[in-house]
Amino acid sequence: IFTQPETYTQLPNHIREKYYAIDFGFSNDECAVVEVNVDNRTLYVKQVLYQLGLTNEDLAFRLKDLGIDRSVNIVADSAEPKSIEELKRQGLNVRPVSKTSILYGIQKMKQFRIVLHEESVDLISEFSNYKFKKDRTGAITNTTTGKDHGIDALKYAVVQFLDKPKGKITIV
């Protein structure tokens, strides 16, 4: 689905637009948090968390420890409203993503040049192995295969923050 990802070591200094996105997980799926820095049509993406077994309290602590506070815009999987509310109560500016189809999110992501931080090993692996499943006849389906927690988080950021007319983002 995606070309072999480009990587970066140092973020360009002139970037001023930054978002965070969360794909929740716990026991079977990792919780993935990505930082998305926007430079026009280029996204510099860094995996900041990719871990099993994090409670929402643990997650809030880890995010705050990374310097993420109420002033930072975070989008998360809307399928977990209780988790979003718990993070809000911990003082984080988290909002649910406006859910779209997998295909729509992928199409929107493909409109950007995506560059991954070289230490984002799980995210790089996801981009390298993310594919559409085929049915018994060999036809491509709308279902994906491979781990996609970091990709899903990035998709949430793109759909929520970059697929809209520019406007002031309000802290809720």
Side-chain angles (χ1 to χ4, degrees), residues 2 32 50 121-131 146-152:
F2 297 104
Y50 200 92
V121 292
D122 301 295
L123 192 54
I124 291 169
S125 174
E126 284 187 13
F127 268 87
S128 300
N129 297 304
Y130 195 68
K131 296 175 178 49
K147 286 196 173 199
D148 60 1
H149 314 301
I151 288 174
D152 281 349

Side-chain angles (χ1 to χ4, degrees), residues 11-136:
L11 194 61
N13 290 331
H14 65 276
I15 295 177
R16 298 285 175 258
E17 191 177 356
K18 180 192 310 189
Y19 305 103
Y20 286 87
I22 303 169
D23 185 49
F24 294 109
F26 186 71
S27 54
N28 296 323
D29 295 323
E30 290 83 0
C31 175
V33 180
V34 296
E35 175 186 291
V36 182
N37 291 276
V38 184
D39 182 18
N40 293 316
R41 303 305 293 168
T42 300
L43 306 180
Y44 292 91
V45 185
K46 182 177 183 181
Q47 161 190 325
V48 295
L49 244 172
Y50 200 92
Q51 188 176 338
L52 288 170
L54 285 178
T55 64
N56 291 328
E57 188 176 4
D58 295 337
L59 177 58
F61 177 80
R62 296 283 301 275
L63 293 175
K64 288 177 183 177
D65 199 39
L66 291 166
I68 299 169
D69 61 22
R70 187 159 189 71
S71 69
V72 177
N73 289 302
I74 306 168
V75 64
D77 187 349
S78 60
E80 296 217 20
K82 185 165 94 174
S83 295
I84 291 169
E85 183 59 31
E86 287 178 10
L87 293 176
K88 281 183 176 182
R89 290 180 185 192
Q90 292 284 335
L92 295 167
N93 181 23
V94 183
R95 72 188 74 198
V97 68
S98 308
K99 276 291 191 174
T100 61
S101 72
I102 292 171
L103 284 176
Y104 180 82
I106 290 170
Q107 287 170 342
K108 287 297 166 188
M109 286 173 61
K110 286 181 155 237
Q111 293 176 3
F112 294 89
R113 174 178 166 233
I114 298 172
V115 186
L116 307 177
H117 190 277
E118 67 179 11
E119 294 176 358
S120 300
V121 292
D122 301 295
L123 192 54
I124 291 169
S125 174
E126 284 187 13
F127 268 87
S128 300
N129 297 304
Y130 195 68
K131 296 175 178 49
F132 282 113
K133 287 183 182 177
K134 294 183 179 179
D135 66 16
R136 288 180 288 176

